[in-house]
Amino acid sequence: MGKRKLESSQSIVAKRRKNGVNHDKEVLPNAGIIQRVELRNFMNHAHLSFDFQPRVNIVTGFNGTGKSAILTGLVVGLGGKASSTSRGSQISGFIKDGKNVSDIKVVLNNGGPDAYQPDVYGDSIVVERKLSRSSNSGDYKIKTASMRLMSTKKSDLTRILDHFNIQVENPVAILNQETSKNFLYSKNPGEVYQFFTKATKLEQMKIGYDVARKEFKASMDVLKSKESVLPMMELELKQAQEKAAALESIDKIRSKLDKKECELAWAIVEYKENEHHLMNQRLIKLNNTRPKYEATVTKSQKKVEKAKEHKVEIEEKIQNMAGDTGTFESQRSEFKKTLMEKRQVTRTNGEAMKQVQQELAQQQKDKTSMQERIAELRASSQKDHSSLVKDRDEKLSKLTSKLHDLETKLANAKKEMNESTQALTTLREEKMEHASIVGDLERIKKDKQQKIGYLEKSRGNKFIRFGKYVPAFLEEINRLHKMGKFTKKPVGPIGAHICIKDMRYALGAERAISKSLMTSFYVNHKSDAALLNDVKRRICKMHGERPPEVLVGAFTEERYHVEPDKAQTHHPTLMDQLMVDNNIVFNCLVDQISMHNIVMVLNGEEARALMFRRQPKNSHVCYDEKGDEILPKPDRVFANHMSRPNFLSANVEEDIREETQGLREVSKDLLEASKNVEKLTLQIQSNHEKHSRLKGAVNSIERQIRKINTDMEEINAQVIEQDTIGDVDALISDVNNLDVEIEQLKVNLDTAKLKYNNSKAAEQEVEKQLSAVTSKLRSMNSSIDPLRGELNTADEAIDQANNELTHYKRELKKLDEKISKEEESLNRFMVNEVEKSIQAASQMSPRVKVKKTSQSLQAEIAKLKEQLSREEQLRGNADEIRDVLNSRMEKYETAKSQLQQCQLYRERMTKSLSTRRRNLFKLTLNTADTTKLYFATFLHQRNYEGKLQFDFDKQTLAIKVDHQSSSKSSKDCNKDLKGLSGGEKSFSTLCFIMSLWESINSPFRCMDEFDVFMDMVNRKVSIKMLTEFAKENPSHQFILLTPQDTSQIEVNDYVHIFRMPDPKRGN
């Protein structure tokens, strides 16, 4: 290959300026550039957003401010893999510590002629990606400029990126910090060449070419195999043709056989046509019997109508007589109503008369009392009034003094009795508390005695601790299993198959499994459960214990593989701490309590911190050493009240010792509590006696006070009577007034008696009228009763006629159903048998007249088949020979056609691959030449000379750079990157990256810390070169990240600088 002369850097610059854009004219930003990047909970940023300008964007800030997170977020947000960022291997690793989700939003420009569906998306496209710790893929949302959701598929995002030619995983389009550093320190020309091919997409083209070449080679292997098979197929075809030529005698026999089979087919047709005729005759006969049934039904209908007419006549007679009874009934109702009203008036008048009589009797009594009083007053007018008053005052004074003393005693006695009552109540409450304690201790004592008994028995039988009934229960299970009653032998108790590895976890493990599951049994089928339930009711009732639960589930002999779903924590799970000797029990524990998701933590505080702050994945509950249950969301803790495990204890003797010691302590507490109860009982008895005495004293005092009050009232009454001796004339006047009132009451009484008698007479008159109407109604009802009997007889006649009518209708219906079935059978026979046999025979030959029966034809056909079989045994089966011939002919023609097509394909593919290889090599050369030219041009701006040495056979690329010198020519430029300073090496790398930019057409280019090792001179030249490059490419966007000082960089319409806030440092 001849050498190609490189164009001078001055000519390259001149050409670029000549072909460059007019900077005075505004150039619209290219579609696909970055408008905005927004990060939430991403890496070390809680919230970070940047609005990028369409030209040069320089982001500066100290190390640790999170600059690199911008490019990482851009790559990840646009669907890049975590590995392509050189920052991690999993997407979830980019989520900020302490957070579960992270959000990335990237806004792409969608303006200009290259916009993607602008009528749908508008002038921008918003791409959102949500990262989650529970997923390594992330969720996508693609939205329009108005934030309307358009898609959630990554394939749609890929289609948009391809349209804009955005290459998020191309190291030249987005050069991250790690890739830049690796390239800067790379000493391997092979790696540099690989970087070159990957950046220019030549690697992707080479891979496509290799795949096509491999597929072509595989196709050629198939073609060779087909070419070797075709001669064998041709030979087999000739053999089949020779066999087919010797089949004339067989064809004659087969022709005669076909004729006989046609005759047999038409003979079958004639037989079925005769059958069809017979069925049709039976149907005609059934149709002829139908008129008789119809006449019988008509006769029964007339009988029913006649019985109904007779009933109507009787009903009309009853209705006429009922009209008269209706009139009397209404009269009777009116009389009843009137009678009730009269009785009410009589009752009112009677009460008024009684009231007047009572008033009259009271006035007469008052008159008699006044007359007696007048006589007393006249008799006592001579007594000494002053001596009576003096005696009264002395008696009242003594009684008052005595009453005061008694009231004082009563108050003291009641106070003392209340105190006694309160003390008695307090003692009774204390006794109840102590009695409750005694009851609890007795129950605990009994439980411990039973447990000790179980433990002592379990020395020889481990099943006793699960219940006294268990040995008998297991014995019955074994007996029934030997008899074949169970589909599979039940397993249990579940706890008998479980041991704990570390006794420190025993309480928590037993709490997690629960007593009911520990003592339960597991069966394979519902029928086994029904049988086991009968057994457990019988045996548990005999022992007086609660029956165990029976769990049903199909037995799985192999253990479940639950390791992938186990709780992800460094603490052990319940499954880790249990030793289960039965695979069925192991699977049962997984199904019932998900033991692989239960976390066991010894320290209670650590367990709470684990579940409340950061719950392990695949866990739902945690148990500590004390057996406390800790649940997350909402944070809850359920305390354990057991002091020792009941079923998972490792040492029976130690359990017996501890339970015996506990029994002694409980017995001691019980004795002390019983003594307290006896002491309180004696105190209550003593206080009760005292209370009874005080109550008797109070009652005695109250009786004395009531007697004194009674005596004082009597004395006061006697004195009042003496004081009331007054004017006798006033009393006489009152007596006279009473006489007048008595006379008036007598007149009122006569009036009331008259009203009462009149109302009573009216009442009796209405009663007579009501009795008369009632008698008439009875007489009329006795006349209607015979008609009602006739009506019942008419109803019976109607029922009988209806029954006959129903019977004959049912018979007619049966006949119709039979006729319908016969018609259906006839039609079905015609379609399925006659027509199908005619169709089958017609396919064989036109209708022929058959003289022989089907049996004789079948005999002749059998002989012909036997003769044909002999000939085929001698010469071979004709049909098989022809089928083989046709099959081989078809396969041969097909294979021959396919081979011709494959040969044509081979010629085309050979030319295509050769052309593709040449074009790829030409493209590689052109891309390499372009990169060389631009590399030399960019180096020239710093007075460097350099060249790129490509070795396409070895696939290496060496970068040679040196200072320009009058004594050196470009041929003498042999200093590679290892011989340059850090700044020179960084500048040379930048020139190489920029020369590669000319080979890609990405709308934006990003570089992170491109100038980190440059000195001030190289950095200044690099910045100037980048800005000039941006001016000459105004439709592209540049995003540059640097930790260096940017104060010397000129800010203008093309260049914009963003400064990151300083990182927070610790004191």
Side-chain angles (χ1 to χ4, degrees):
M1 182 180 65
K3 295 183 179 179
R4 291 182 304 280
K5 185 177 180 181
L6 297 180
E7 202 173 353
S8 68
S9 60
Q10 291 85 351
S11 62
I12 293 291
V13 173
K15 276 187 179 181
R16 290 169 59 115
R17 290 175 179 173
K18 181 179 179 181
N19 297 327
V21 298
N22 183 2
H23 301 300
D24 296 332
K25 183 180 179 181
E26 183 180 1
V27 178
L28 295 176
N30 195 14
I33 67 172
I34 308 300
Q35 290 183 344
R36 180 179 176 83
V37 175
E38 185 173 351
L39 310 175
R40 292 185 183 272
N41 299 328
F42 187 81
M43 295 180 71
N44 61 335
H45 296 291
H47 181 217
L48 177 67
S49 63
F50 268 101
D51 294 314
F52 290 106
Q53 300 302 317
R55 304 293 170 80
V56 180
N57 299 269
I58 301 177
V59 181
T60 181
F62 293 116
N63 289 328
T65 56
K67 301 186 299 299
S68 300
I70 300 172
L71 296 191
T72 304
L74 181 61
V75 173
V76 174
L78 292 179
K81 294 179 289 189
S83 58
S84 64
T85 66
S86 301
R87 289 278 179 167
S89 59
Q90 292 186 340
I91 294 296
S92 58
F94 296 122
I95 301 174
K96 183 177 174 63
D97 291 342
K99 304 296 182 180
N100 292 323
V101 295
S102 175
D103 296 302
I104 304 172
K105 183 200 288 187
V106 180
V107 182
L108 303 175
N109 179 43
N110 197 37
D114 294 329
Y116 180 79
Q117 299 182 10
D119 54 336
V120 176
Y121 286 92
D123 58 2
S124 62
I125 297 176
V126 181
V127 180
E128 295 180 357
R129 189 177 186 184
K130 181 183 286 293
L131 312 182
S132 173
R133 294 194 183 277
S134 61
S135 173
N136 284 322
S137 59
D139 300 327
Y140 294 93
K141 290 183 180 179
I142 304 173
K143 299 181 179 179
T144 64
S146 59
M147 299 305 291
R148 181 164 63 94
L149 180 64
M150 295 300 296
S151 176
T152 59
K153 299 178 180 178
K154 187 180 179 182
S155 58
D156 292 333
L157 174 60
T158 304
R159 192 176 297 110
I160 293 172
L161 297 181
D162 290 343
H163 177 82
F164 292 140
N165 197 28
I166 295 175
Q167 307 165 28
V168 293
E169 295 185 355
N170 189 329
V172 174
I174 301 178
L175 182 65
N176 58 51
Q177 193 179 116
E178 194 66 25
T179 304
S180 176
K181 187 187 301 181
N182 293 338
F183 182 77
L184 195 61
Y185 290 104
S186 175
K187 300 177 181 180
N188 188 347
E191 294 179 358
V192 178
Y193 184 85
Q194 185 179 1
F195 183 86
F196 164 76
T197 57
K198 185 175 182 181
T200 56
K201 289 193 173 181
L202 292 172
E203 181 184 40
Q204 185 176 350
M205 297 178 188
K206 179 66 167 56
I207 292 172
Y209 170 76
D210 291 340
V211 171
R213 190 165 53 83
K214 289 180 182 179
E215 291 179 352
F216 175 70
K217 187 177 181 303
S219 300
M220 292 305 99
D221 293 340
V222 174
L223 178 59
K224 288 179 182 179
S225 65
K226 288 187 176 182
E227 288 175 341
S228 64
V229 169
L230 190 63
M232 296 175 60
M233 296 178 68
E234 186 175 3
L235 179 61
E236 291 176 351
L237 177 60
K238 289 181 179 180
Q239 293 175 353
Q241 288 172 341
E242 291 174 356
K243 285 185 179 181
L247 295 176
E248 293 182 4
S249 59
I250 295 177
D251 290 340
K252 290 180 180 179
I253 299 173
R254 186 174 294 281
S255 176
K256 191 174 182 180
L257 178 62
D258 291 340
K259 183 178 179 181
K260 293 297 179 182
E261 286 179 344
C262 292
E263 292 180 2
L264 176 61
W266 287 110
I268 293 172
V269 169
E270 290 184 359
Y271 172 78
K272 291 186 175 181
E273 285 176 344
N274 292 332
E275 286 290 322
H276 181 266
H277 177 71
L278 294 175
M279 292 174 67
N280 191 39
Q281 291 298 319
R282 287 198 300 271
L283 180 61
I284 293 172
K285 186 177 180 180
L286 289 173
N287 283 323
N288 291 335
T289 58
R290 195 176 188 284
K292 297 179 181 179
Y293 282 91
E294 289 177 343
T296 306
V297 169
T298 303
K299 183 178 179 182
S300 298
Q301 285 177 339
K302 290 180 180 179
K303 190 174 181 181
V304 171
E305 292 172 358
K306 185 176 181 181
K308 287 181 178 179
E309 290 174 357
H310 180 59
K311 180 182 177 181
V312 169
E313 292 176 359
I314 297 172
E315 286 176 343
E316 288 177 353
K317 291 180 181 179
I318 293 174
Q319 189 174 3
N320 292 333
M321 297 183 71
D324 297 336
T325 58
T327 303
F328 286 110
E329 283 288 349
S330 61
Q331 290 179 1
R332 183 184 179 188
S333 298
E334 289 293 331
F335 283 139
K336 281 185 177 181
K337 183 177 179 181
T338 304
L339 180 61
M340 294 297 293
E341 293 173 354
K342 295 296 183 182
R343 284 178 177 172
Q344 182 62 34
V345 172
T346 302
R347 193 179 300 110
T348 302
N349 291 336
E351 290 175 355
M353 182 180 68
K354 288 180 181 179
Q355 185 177 359
V356 174
Q357 288 175 343
Q358 291 174 356
E359 290 179 359
L360 179 61
Q362 184 64 39
Q363 294 286 32
Q364 289 175 345
K365 184 178 180 181
D366 292 344
K367 177 182 176 181
T368 303
S369 177
M370 286 184 180
Q371 288 174 346
E372 292 175 353
R373 179 64 178 162
I374 290 171
E376 290 177 359
L377 289 174
R378 287 174 176 171
S380 61
S381 59
Q382 302 299 322
K383 292 184 179 179
D384 186 1
H385 183 260
S386 59
S387 61
L388 292 174
V389 172
K390 184 178 179 181
D391 292 339
R392 180 200 67 182
D393 292 340
E394 289 177 355
K395 290 179 180 179
L396 288 175
S397 177
K398 291 178 180 180
L399 291 173
T400 302
S401 176
K402 188 175 182 180
L403 179 62
H404 179 71
D405 294 340
L406 289 173
E407 287 177 347
T408 302
K409 289 181 180 180
L410 179 62
N412 293 332
K414 283 186 175 181
K415 181 179 179 182
E416 191 174 354
M417 188 176 71
N418 289 335
E419 292 175 352
S420 175
T421 302
Q422 187 174 359
L424 189 61
T425 302
T426 302
L427 288 171
R428 285 173 176 166
E429 290 176 354
E430 290 181 3
K431 181 183 176 182
M432 288 178 65
E433 290 179 2
H434 283 78
S436 177
I437 293 172
V438 169
D440 292 340
L441 290 173
E442 287 177 346
R443 185 168 57 255
I444 294 171
K445 181 179 178 181
K446 184 179 179 181
D447 291 343
K448 286 189 174 294
Q449 288 173 341
Q450 289 180 351
K451 188 170 182 180
I452 291 171
Y454 290 157
L455 291 172
E456 288 176 347
K457 291 179 180 179
S458 66
R459 286 170 174 163
N461 190 336
K462 67 177 183 178
F463 298 108
I464 291 293
R465 66 169 57 192
F466 297 97
K468 292 186 296 184
Y469 67 91
V470 174
F473 195 44
L474 292 174
E475 186 177 346
E476 183 66 12
I477 288 173
N478 290 331
R479 187 182 69 82
L480 293 173
H481 178 62
K482 289 179 181 178
M483 296 171 62
K485 297 294 184 180
F486 295 111
T487 60
K488 289 186 179 180
K489 184 180 179 181
V491 177
I494 296 296
H497 298 277
I498 302 172
C499 292
I500 192 77
K501 295 178 182 178
D502 189 343
M503 283 303 299
R504 294 178 298 171
Y505 295 100
L507 266 177
E510 195 162 304
R511 178 90 186 280
I513 299 173
S514 78
K515 180 181 178 181
S516 62
L517 185 56
M518 278 283 195
T519 59
S520 63
F521 283 75
Y522 198 44
V523 298
N524 179 61
H525 195 267
K526 291 182 179 179
S527 60
D528 297 344
L531 178 58
L532 197 62
N533 282 325
D534 293 338
V535 174
K536 79 176 183 180
R537 281 192 291 269
R538 175 164 44 84
I539 292 180
C540 292
K541 183 177 180 182
M542 186 188 308
H543 288 82
E545 289 194 354
R546 182 179 178 183
E549 290 188 18
V550 177
L551 307 175
V552 183
F555 285 178
T556 304
E557 300 298 337
E558 294 184 1
R559 290 197 176 192
Y560 293 156
H561 179 61
V562 294
E563 286 295 331
D565 300 326
K566 195 170 75 169
Q568 298 181 7
T569 174
H570 65 280
H571 294 285
T573 63
L574 179 60
M575 184 178 71
D576 298 330
Q577 281 298 321
L578 293 183
M579 294 184 292
V580 184
D581 63 5
N582 188 297
N583 291 346
I584 295 172
V585 173
F586 180 91
N587 296 339
C588 175
L589 292 174
V590 172
D591 291 335
Q592 295 295 322
I593 61 174
S594 300
M595 64 176 179
H596 57 295
N597 301 134
I598 298 174
V599 182
M600 310 299 291
V601 181
L602 290 176
N603 186 277
E605 294 299 326
E606 188 177 354
R608 287 162 175 78
L610 179 68
M611 298 305 288
F612 294 169
R613 296 175 188 171
R614 194 164 185 177
Q615 178 188 357
K617 186 178 179 181
N618 296 336
S619 67
H620 64 272
V621 67
C622 178
Y623 291 90
D624 62 10
E625 185 178 13
K626 296 179 181 179
D628 293 345
E629 181 181 11
I630 299 101
L631 296 173
K633 296 181 182 179
D635 302 341
R636 290 179 296 173
V637 177
F638 297 96
N640 180 31
H641 302 294
M642 293 192 303
S643 59
R644 284 187 56 79
N646 293 323
F647 303 106
L648 296 178
S649 177
N651 193 330
V652 176
E653 296 300 330
E654 184 181 348
D655 289 347
I656 293 174
R657 283 196 300 273
E658 290 197 8
E659 292 296 334
T660 304
Q661 179 62 29
L663 180 61
R664 293 194 193 99
E665 293 175 359
V666 170
S667 300
K668 183 179 177 181
D669 295 340
L670 178 60
L671 180 62
E672 185 178 351
S674 299
K675 289 180 180 179
N676 290 335
V677 171
E678 292 176 359
K679 183 179 178 181
L680 289 170
T681 302
L682 293 175
Q683 291 178 359
I684 289 170
Q685 185 176 357
S686 174
N687 275 270
H688 184 71
E689 292 175 356
K690 180 181 178 181
H691 183 269
S692 298
R693 289 196 302 272
L694 290 172
K695 186 175 182 181
V698 168
N699 291 336
S700 175
I701 295 171
E702 287 178 343
R703 284 195 300 272
Q704 293 179 35
I705 289 173
R706 283 196 299 271
K707 186 175 184 306
I708 291 172
N709 286 329
T710 302
D711 293 343
M712 292 176 70
E713 288 176 358
E714 289 178 355
I715 292 171
N716 286 326
Q718 291 175 2
V719 173
I720 289 171
E721 287 179 359
Q722 296 296 329
D723 291 341
T724 56
I725 298 173
D727 191 2
V728 176
D729 292 336
L731 290 172
I732 294 172
S733 176
D734 291 339
V735 171
N736 292 333
N737 291 333
L738 282 174
D739 289 337
V740 174
E741 291 178 2
I742 288 170
E743 290 299 324
Q744 183 60 42
L745 287 172
K746 288 180 178 179
V747 172
N748 292 342
L749 179 61
D750 292 338
T751 303
K753 284 182 178 179
L754 180 61
K755 287 183 178 180
Y756 174 76
N757 292 331
N758 290 337
S759 62
K760 189 69 176 177
E763 179 186 341
Q764 292 174 351
E765 180 63 26
V766 173
E767 285 180 348
K768 290 180 181 179
Q769 293 175 351
L770 178 61
S771 177
V773 171
T774 303
S775 298
K776 289 181 180 180
L777 279 174
R778 288 174 182 168
S779 175
M780 294 181 71
N781 287 332
S782 61
S783 302
I784 292 174
D785 288 341
L787 290 176
R788 287 176 177 162
E790 292 181 14
L791 184 63
N792 292 334
T793 305
D795 286 334
E796 292 175 358
I798 291 173
D799 292 339
Q800 184 178 358
N802 279 326
N803 291 335
E804 291 180 2
L805 178 61
T806 303
H807 170 72
Y808 290 122
K809 282 184 176 180
R810 191 182 301 115
E811 292 297 323
L812 180 60
K813 184 178 180 182
K814 288 181 181 179
L815 179 63
D816 289 338
E817 290 175 355
K818 191 174 182 180
I819 291 172
S820 177
K821 288 181 181 179
E822 288 290 335
E823 288 177 347
E824 185 179 351
S825 299
L826 183 65
N827 294 331
R828 188 167 55 249
F829 187 82
M830 183 66 186
V831 173
N832 295 339
E833 300 295 333
V834 178
E835 291 182 358
K836 283 186 177 181
S837 61
I838 293 174
Q839 185 178 2
S842 300
Q843 290 176 354
M844 297 176 70
S845 70
R847 185 152 189 164
V848 295
K849 189 175 182 180
V850 181
K851 298 179 180 180
K852 298 179 180 180
T853 62
S854 59
Q855 289 83 359
S856 61
L857 288 171
Q858 286 174 351
E860 292 180 10
I861 289 172
K863 290 180 180 179
L864 289 171
K865 285 183 177 180
E866 184 179 352
Q867 185 179 357
L868 180 63
S869 177
R870 286 195 301 270
E871 289 292 329
E872 287 178 344
Q873 287 177 0
L874 179 63
R875 303 181 185 277
N877 186 282
D879 292 334
E880 292 178 358
I881 291 172
R882 290 191 179 93
D883 290 341
V884 169
L885 175 62
N886 294 332
S887 175
R888 289 180 180 178
M889 178 68 75
E890 183 180 356
K891 288 180 180 179
Y892 176 76
E893 294 296 335
T894 302
K896 187 176 179 180
S897 175
Q898 289 178 350
L899 182 60
Q900 291 173 350
Q901 292 176 359
C902 288
Q903 289 171 344
L904 181 61
Y905 168 76
R906 177 174 58 189
E907 294 174 1
R908 292 176 180 175
M909 280 299 297
T910 302
K911 293 179 181 178
S912 176
L913 284 174
S914 179
T915 304
R916 186 171 180 177
R917 182 176 58 80
R918 288 195 302 271
N919 291 339
L920 177 60
F921 187 69
K922 287 180 181 179
L923 179 62
T924 303
L925 292 177
N926 292 335
T927 305
D929 289 345
T930 303
T931 306
K932 288 178 183 179
L933 292 174
Y934 281 109
F935 181 67
T937 301
F938 293 136
L939 285 175
H940 182 72
Q941 297 184 32
R942 183 66 180 91
N943 294 323
Y944 286 141
E945 286 186 353
K947 60 182 178 179
L948 301 177
Q949 293 181 347
F950 287 90
D951 189 333
F952 298 109
D953 295 329
K954 296 181 180 180
Q955 295 187 352
T956 59
L957 170 58
I959 301 177
K960 304 293 183 177
V961 179
D962 200 354
H963 289 283
Q964 287 183 352
S965 173
S966 59
S967 63
K968 292 182 179 181
S969 64
S970 60
K971 295 181 180 179
D972 299 326
C973 183
N974 293 318
K975 187 184 290 186
D976 59 11
L977 293 179
K978 292 183 288 183
L980 300 177
S981 65
E984 292 172 340
K985 188 184 295 185
S986 298
F987 177 75
S988 301
T989 302
L990 176 63
C991 292
F992 180 63
I993 296 298
M994 291 177 63
S995 65
L996 290 176
W997 280 351
E998 296 295 339
S999 299
I1000 66 172
N1001 193 26
S1002 178
F1004 58 83
R1005 291 91 186 266
C1006 306
M1007 287 198 300
D1008 187 6
E1009 296 194 0
F1010 66 94
D1011 58 348
V1012 68
F1013 296 111
M1014 292 183 184
D1015 53 27
M1016 291 300 297
V1017 176
N1018 284 318
R1019 186 166 176 269
K1020 184 176 180 180
V1021 172
S1022 298
I1023 295 295
K1024 182 179 179 181
M1025 188 167 58
L1026 284 170
T1027 55
E1028 288 296 328
F1029 188 86
K1031 289 180 181 180
E1032 293 166 5
N1033 294 272
S1035 60
H1036 296 290
Q1037 183 184 44
F1038 299 85
I1039 301 174
L1040 310 176
L1041 279 66
T1042 176
Q1044 305 295 337
D1045 180 27
T1046 57
S1047 60
Q1048 301 299 322
I1049 300 175
E1050 180 184 356
V1051 178
N1052 50 43
D1053 294 340
Y1054 286 86
V1055 180
H1056 298 269
I1057 298 177
F1058 303 90
R1059 181 169 182 82
M1060 297 286 291
D1062 295 340
K1064 296 180 180 179
R1065 306 292 185 185
N1067 293 331

